[in-house]
Amino acid sequence: MTIYQNLIAGEWIGTNATANINPSDTNDIVGEYASGTAADVASAIAAAKAAFPAWSRSGILERHAILKKTSDEIIARKEELGRLLAREEGKTLPEAIGETIRAGQIFDFFAGECLRLAGEVLPSVRPNIGVEITRDPLGVIGVITPWNFPIAIPAWKIAPALAYGNTVVFKPADLVPGCAWAIVDILHRAGLPKGVLNLVMGKGSVVGQAMLDSPDLAGLTFTGSTGTGKRVALASIEHNRKFQLEMGGKNPMVVLDDADLTVAVEAAANSGFFSTGQRCTASSRLIVTEGIHDRFVAALTEKLKTLTVDNALMAGTHIGPVVDEKQLKTDTDYIEIGKSEGARLAFGGELVRNETPGFYLQPTLFTEASNSMRIAREEIFGPVAAVIRVKDYDEALSVANDTPFGLSAGIATTSLKHATHFKRNSEAGMVMVNLPTAGVDFHVPFGGRKGSSFGSREQGKYASEFFTTVKTAYTLA
Ligand SMILES: NC(=O)C1=CN([C@@H]2O[C@H](COP(=O)(O)OP(=O)(O)OC[C@H]3O[C@@H](n4cnc5c(N)ncnc54)[C@H](OP(=O)(O)O)[C@@H]3O)[C@@H](O)[C@H]2O)C=CC1
Ligand SMILES: O=C(O)CCC(=O)C(=O)O
């Protein structure tokens, strides 16, 4: 079988490989992907360091052309890449094609950003002096990504890093090297000079840790779990390096008595269970006021009954498999915890058997949960949500904000007063009104507060805050 190799200093290398397994059909091996070493990381960082001076001074038209060409190829190959994504990660084919298109759009957006780089010219407070404020690239950026958005998250980190003139060492999640390899291959063929983008696939404990330990990364952008995020933070402080963390969520969706029931149910089903609940923006706490509670639970349960859990590549599947056996065990352990805590299992909770052997789990809904239960406080990262009954809007807001996380939050209501108040007072980085808490635009800031995020926002023009450093220059006229 061909080995998909690592890209270091413009050369494809690596003979030691691990199998990428399809969670919808564990007999299906998506491919063999190289597993890098700490020495590979050192070579990749050295190559990126050597490539930085020329790339940081490269013309904006050259950068624009490479990113645009990448965008065009990703979008032209959306069906094939979407299929690869669905096969290695397990989200449904329409979701995977949607994510692939989003990755293409992100490269297109940052191709445009190359042509929109700007600074400021200001008068000094002293006579005959001019002040210029410009943004310089940081240097070598380490990119460490999770498994749940295998093409979009690498895109929204790598595209701005390159657009603003940085060089990159990229370590994707070990579970999903396929999409990572594909976008690196596309960028390489689009004309990136050698060493500007380096791919080191492999284990977090080896490849990721070697990146954390390097004194030569000027910045590290990370998306993943809170535990690993803390290691990234500590190592980055040790090396005086800029870092950016996007971590977990325990996102609330408030449903008020005056909500349009159909809108509320669609939003809750989408954000709680689609993509198998494996989105940091998923709503896993449904906070519902008394007057609509029973109708909402009944309608959501009916909706869940209509959802097909099956092979991600099969037409008609609404929910694909859980990503792997370890995550499936986490999900089922939390289902047991929910039962033992006294929440009522209103729907699901069982494994699903399908024609192909995979990690299939029913969408699972708890009711009569309280916000102090572990299923309401800890991120599960699976198709499991809990309904918390509250008296009124004030209690709903207070419960919504009572969490260590703060990524996204939603409200279903027809009241302008409550929608406006919620937008102002939610302690989340992203707030949705009558919409799912997951599924965001690619051209506006993405990120959270409290335990969900650290550092400046990702995506859109706000990405420049992380990927550049500001310089203030004074000139005597
Ligand atoms: N807020 C957000 O934007 C998002 C947050 N998440 C969060 O991510 C979690 C799921 O993703 P998951 O991939 O399991 O998260 P992990 O933190 O386990 O992994 C994220 C990345 O870090 C790597 N890694 C693991 N250990 C180390 C280490 N010691 N040093 C450096 N890198 C390391 C992993 O490699 P390897 O794969 O080899 O373990 C992977 O590439 C969920 O908790 C979810 O909430 C996910 C997506 C978005
Ligand atoms: O909800 C989205 O669109 C993005 C979610 C995300 O980035 C994540 O779960 O990692």
Side-chain angles (χ1 to χ4, degrees), residues 23-24 26 89 147 175 276 278 309 319-337 349-353 357-364 380-384:
S24 297
T26 52
E89 196 267 350
W147 47 262
L175 278 175
T276 323
Q278 297 174 152
V309 180
I319 299 177
V322 172
V323 74
D324 71 350
E325 197 163 8
K326 184 163 158 250
Q327 183 63 49
L328 183 62
K329 175 155 180 3
T330 303
D331 297 349
T332 51
D333 283 354
Y334 270 107
I335 291 170
E336 291 310 311
I337 290 168
E350 298 293 330
L351 301 185
V352 177
R353 284 180 75 86
F359 308 113
Y360 300 107
L361 177 63
Q362 284 183 310
T364 299
I380 301 172
F381 221 55
V384 183

Side-chain angles (χ1 to χ4, degrees), residues 102 148-149 153 156 223 278-281 381 437-440 446:
R102 177 167 162 184
N148 67 331
F149 277 79
I153 294 180
W156 80 54
T223 300
Q278 297 174 152
R279 293 185 284 191
C280 54
T281 44
F381 221 55
T437 54
V440 299
F446 176 88

Side-chain angles (χ1 to χ4, degrees), residues 195-400:
V196 170
L197 172 63
N198 303 272
L199 171 70
V200 191
M201 299 173 287
K203 293 201 179 328
S205 55
V206 178
V207 173
Q209 191 61 45
M211 288 169 68
L212 265 49
D213 294 342
S214 169
D216 289 327
L217 290 182
L220 210 154
T221 174
F222 168 84
T223 300
S225 63
T226 309
T228 313
K230 279 195 179 143
R231 299 172 85 110
V232 172
L234 291 173
S236 297
I237 287 165
E238 177 72 25
H239 293 296
N240 196 24
R241 155 207 306 152
K242 200 169 175 184
F243 63 100
Q244 176 184 52
L245 310 175
E246 286 302 338
M247 302 173 287
K250 195 71 200 171
N251 309 297
M253 163 152 295
V254 169
V255 179
L256 296 186
D257 286 355
D258 62 19
D260 177 319
L261 190 60
T262 309
V263 166
V265 167
E266 288 302 316
N270 177 320
S271 44
F273 305 101
F274 288 5
S275 297
T276 323
Q278 297 174 152
R279 293 185 284 191
C280 54
T281 44
S283 329
S284 45
R285 293 186 300 141
L286 306 172
I287 301 164
V288 186
T289 50
E290 269 166 0
I292 196 169
H293 178 277
D294 293 355
R295 281 182 294 136
F296 173 78
V297 168
L300 181 57
T301 307
E302 285 309 307
K303 171 79 188 177
L304 296 183
K305 284 182 192 162
T306 68
L307 301 179
T308 304
V309 180
D310 208 332
N311 192 311
L313 295 173
M314 209 180 75
T317 295
H318 299 105
I319 299 177
V322 172
V323 74
D324 71 350
E325 197 163 8
K326 184 163 158 250
Q327 183 63 49
L328 183 62
K329 175 155 180 3
T330 303
D331 297 349
T332 51
D333 283 354
Y334 270 107
I335 291 170
E336 291 310 311
I337 290 168
K339 289 185 204 163
S340 69
E341 285 178 311
R344 190 175 82 83
L345 184 62
F347 186 81
E350 298 293 330
L351 301 185
V352 177
R353 284 180 75 86
N354 286 317
E355 209 164 290
T356 50
F359 308 113
Y360 300 107
L361 177 63
Q362 284 183 310
T364 299
L365 185 69
F366 281 104
T367 56
E368 311 306 335
S370 86
N371 201 44
S372 60
M373 291 177 177
R374 284 183 64 195
I375 56 164
R377 299 210 78 75
E378 297 170 16
E379 184 177 53
I380 301 172
F381 221 55
V384 183
V387 176
I388 301 167
R389 188 197 295 259
V390 290
K391 187 167 75 273
D392 55 17
Y393 169 75
D394 290 340
E395 188 184 353
L397 175 66
S398 148
V399 170

